[in-house]
Amino acid sequence: GENVEQHPSTLSVQEGDSAVIKCTYSDSASNYFPWYKQELGKRPQLIIDIRSNVGEKKDQRIAVTLNKTAKHFSLHITETQPEDSAVYFCAASMGPGGYNKLIFGAGTRLAVHP
Amino acid sequence: AAGVIQSPRHLIKEKRETATLKCYPIPRHDTVYWYQQGPGQDPQFLISFYEKMQSDKGSIPDRFSAQQFSDYHSELNMSSLELGDSALYFCASGPPGQGYEQYFGPGTRLTVT
């Protein structure tokens, strides 16, 4: 069945360092890969996403890369700030929209220390 | 910008009672997804609706049912509540034209005592 593995489960960095979170997916039919940031008790917030026809996407300090052959994708955060501290979830789904339930990874708790 | 609205935000019920959770998607969004998130866990897909028809079903107990109405809002009905149903329940909506993105509402925290 569909499965998404996410590593590491916890990540601690110093302010200004980079953080990398990696995910692998099992279903080769997956074609959409979003990343969500969730603060304690709050909603998952979509921060960046990538579709299978693209290898890399960047938005200011965050970027996502996708390797379809290896079935893995990664989130890169540069120049981390304390407000980046949260739980980050990767997810995978099969389109088209309207039918694409998200299968989430187990999450990575990122702590950015001043 | 308008976001997904969920009500109530908090709900306390006793075992064997029923609960109804409501979701109002972002205007013009035609898809609604329901997810359940236990403490320290990732969101688990329950059920989804596209253009008022059920489009997919996940690990939703038979005690739960849901529907999407003509105005695109959705309701999740939960009966014979169990202690294990205590969780955060999120609704997400997706844009028209079979868009891929899902935007989450603030969630309903259900506590079953």
Side-chain angles (χ1 to χ4, degrees):
Chain A
E2 302 143 324
N3 185 49
V4 176
E5 293 190 0
Q6 183 172 347
H7 300 281
S9 57
T10 61
L11 182 58
S12 182
V13 300
Q14 290 296 125
E15 182 177 2
D17 287 350
S18 295
V20 179
I21 303 171
K22 299 182 179 182
C23 291
T24 59
Y25 59 97
S26 61
D27 196 327
S28 57
S30 297
N31 62 357
Y32 174 66
F33 308 93
W35 286 87
Y36 286 86
K37 174 184 180 182
Q38 187 176 31
E39 297 176 14
L40 187 63
K42 300 201 173 175
R43 76 185 79 192
Q45 178 189 358
L46 179 64
I47 57 172
I48 195 167
D49 57 10
I50 192 167
R51 298 190 190 182
S52 58
N53 58 348
V54 175
E56 183 173 358
K57 184 177 178 181
K58 189 173 182 180
D59 182 6
Q60 299 183 350
R61 296 187 296 110
I62 60 173
V64 57
T65 59
L66 171 66
N67 183 325
K68 283 178 58 180
T69 304
K71 292 192 286 188
H72 67 68
F73 56 113
S74 301
L75 176 72
H76 304 252
I77 306 174
T78 59
E79 300 173 26
T80 54
Q81 301 167 3
E83 50 265 39
D84 294 330
S85 298
V87 177
Y88 290 80
F89 290 100
C90 63
S93 76
M94 295 178 288
Y99 299 86
N100 53 334
K101 65 183 178 185
L102 294 176
I103 305 299
F104 285 86
T108 296
R109 183 173 300 278
L110 173 64
V112 180
H113 302 285
Chain B
V4 177
I5 296 172
Q6 289 187 248
S7 67
R9 296 292 308 279
H10 303 272
L11 192 57
I12 300 175
K13 292 286 186 178
E14 295 187 355
K15 284 193 303 183
R16 292 179 289 277
E17 286 191 320
T18 61
T20 297
L21 279 55
K22 297 184 178 182
C23 169
Y24 298 85
I26 293 170
R28 291 181 295 282
H29 281 198
D30 55 9
T31 310
V32 167
Y33 308 83
W34 286 96
Y35 292 87
Q36 177 191 59
Q37 187 177 31
Q41 298 182 354
D42 56 288
Q44 295 290 312
F45 172 74
L46 293 177
I47 195 168
S48 62
F49 295 87
Y50 170 58
E51 278 293 341
K52 293 159 281 186
M53 298 287 289
Q54 181 181 310
S55 54
D56 203 353
K57 200 171 182 181
S59 50
I60 183 170
D62 292 340
R63 301 177 288 108
F64 294 6
S65 65
Q67 58 182 321
Q68 186 179 33
F69 295 85
S70 58
D71 64 351
Y72 293 99
H73 94 273
S74 178
E75 295 184 3
L76 177 65
N77 299 291
M78 312 162 70
S79 63
S80 303
L81 287 170
E82 302 174 356
L83 295 178
D85 295 329
S86 296
L88 264 172
Y89 289 84
F90 288 104
C91 166
S93 74
Q98 297 188 326
Y100 286 73
E101 299 87 354
Q102 294 185 28
Y103 298 97
F104 282 69
T108 294
R109 182 174 295 281
L110 173 66
T111 302
V112 181
T113 61

